[in-house]
Amino acid sequence: MKAIICGAGISGLAAAAFLAGDGWDVVVVEQAAGPRPQGYMVDFFGPGWQAATALGIIPRIRELGYSVERLDYVDGRGRARASLPFARFAQVVRGELVSMLRPDLELAIREAVPPGVHLRYGRTVLAVTQSRASVTATLDDGASLEADLLVGADGIHSVIRELVFGPEPEFLHYLGFHVGAYSFRDPEVASLVGDRFAVTDTRNEAMFFYRLRDGTITAMAVHRTDDPARPDDPQDMLRSRYGRLEWICPAALRHCPRDLYYDQVAQIRMPRWHTGCTVLVGDAAAAVSLLAGQGASLGMAAAYVLADELKKQPDLGRALDSFETRIRPLVLEHQKAGVSAAHWFVPATRHAVLMRRAVIRLARIPGLTRLISSAVVGKSGAALTSSQNPSPE
Ligand SMILES: Cc1cc2nc3c(=O)[nH]c(=O)nc-3n(C[C@H](O)[C@H](O)[C@H](O)COP(=O)(O)OP(=O)(O)OC[C@H]3O[C@@H](n4cnc5c(N)ncnc54)[C@H](O)[C@@H]3O)c2cc1C
């Protein structure tokens, strides 16, 4: 059996690793010239952990990742106004939580992709035609690839979704935020960040900082806006929009490069993720957004379940139906959580900032830690078996 996978991100590489491991002949088409270096920190835990375990990459994930002790919401001088005990959240999920750069997670998965998989960087899909039993993808170099299955794993702005299922506006739900992310080096800033996630305790726009073990600072900027359109010059926009923030923010904004990661914050909601011989996985099918915070994990989980169902079920249509039945409840749960998180993630009012501080302080009260942790980290025990495992609560 032959599969074409469009997108060599977390979901696409995981799908390649699982399908090739089951004997599929796999080609991956990726538009970037090589592995994408642009990164931001992701907290990796939840359903994808089981998939990563199946791939045998947990030791590598732990090696590349970080165990964050706490997340401080800081004032204009960098002093913590409220602290989330991240380490205690990790306990709630039995220590199965690692914070890491997205490119490092991709690296760990890429290393698990069997050597027979053909990774074609610098290429995209221009057209898709399907017959009853096969699918043909035409690439931008004129090549025509035929396969039994086409997997669209090309992210929130998926071209496979556009070509096979319909235009993006039908499925994209804007959540009212934009996000920018980049890395820089500045020893003075690094010493002020220290060994914690530091987040400005501000409303309408907030900056997030973390110091990597080589001293590099990863910065993320999230702000509210009613306009989903990307600004012409994101670097310039960030510098003016975040100009009022204090502490290390002016220095961090001076380091902001032109080629930063920048996008709207949105979810993809589709009634169906497969048609004929084409299926979508990860953000392409069901982006939950950074507000829900488990997109990477769900993308890996989807790849794992897809391969599992294809292994169990010789009929492609039935296998894809079963795949959707198993993954959809997890996605819906996290999309709901993402929408609820919008209120407190970057609050809009002073009252909401104060409420967030109060709730975070409750996390220090024994017993409530578990409740608040579950609200923050979700029902991460919801697993990938056909009959769902109970949550750790
Ligand atoms: C700032 C931020 C913070 C986040 N934090 C977390 C977190 O803490 N925990 C978590 O689990 N998730 C988090 N997420 C979400 C997570 O990063 C995504 O859900 C995850 O990366 C989705 O993986 P994917 O492989 O489905 O899509 P992507 O990562 O978008 O990968 C898609 C791939 O397809 C390629 N591609 C795109 N278009 C084409 C095309 N036309 N042709 C060929 N290739 C194409 C892209 O270059 C890319 O390599 C965060 C996201 C953001 C933006």
Side-chain angles (χ1 to χ4, degrees), residues 137 179 181 368:
V179 57
L368 281 179

PDB file of all heavy atoms in Angstrom, residues 137 179 181 368:
ATOM      1  N   ALA A 137      -1.749  12.932  -6.778  1.00  0.00           N
ATOM      2  CA  ALA A 137      -1.364  14.295  -6.393  1.00  0.00           C
ATOM      3  C   ALA A 137      -0.366  14.809  -7.411  1.00  0.00           C
ATOM      4  O   ALA A 137       0.631  14.148  -7.710  1.00  0.00           O
ATOM      5  CB  ALA A 137      -0.733  14.272  -5.002  1.00  0.00           C
ATOM      6  N   VAL A 179      -0.670  35.773  17.182  1.00  0.00           N
ATOM      7  CA  VAL A 179       0.510  35.330  17.929  1.00  0.00           C
ATOM      8  C   VAL A 179       1.762  35.498  17.070  1.00  0.00           C
ATOM      9  O   VAL A 179       1.748  35.244  15.872  1.00  0.00           O
ATOM     10  CB  VAL A 179       0.368  33.860  18.395  1.00  0.00           C
ATOM     11  CG1 VAL A 179       0.121  32.903  17.236  1.00  0.00           C
ATOM     12  CG2 VAL A 179       1.586  33.408  19.186  1.00  0.00           C
ATOM     13  N   ALA A 181       6.152  34.697  17.361  1.00  0.00           N
ATOM     14  CA  ALA A 181       7.145  33.984  18.178  1.00  0.00           C
ATOM     15  C   ALA A 181       8.503  34.056  17.496  1.00  0.00           C
ATOM     16  O   ALA A 181       8.590  34.017  16.262  1.00  0.00           O
ATOM     17  CB  ALA A 181       6.727  32.534  18.382  1.00  0.00           C
ATOM     18  N   LEU A 368      -6.898  21.685  45.839  1.00  0.00           N
ATOM     19  CA  LEU A 368      -7.369  22.458  44.688  1.00  0.00           C
ATOM     20  C   LEU A 368      -6.374  22.368  43.533  1.00  0.00           C
ATOM     21  O   LEU A 368      -6.717  22.591  42.383  1.00  0.00           O
ATOM     22  CB  LEU A 368      -7.582  23.924  45.077  1.00  0.00           C
ATOM     23  CG  LEU A 368      -8.873  24.195  45.827  1.00  0.00           C
ATOM     24  CD1 LEU A 368      -8.986  25.660  46.195  1.00  0.00           C
ATOM     25  CD2 LEU A 368     -10.075  23.795  44.983  1.00  0.00           C
TER      26      LEU A 368
END
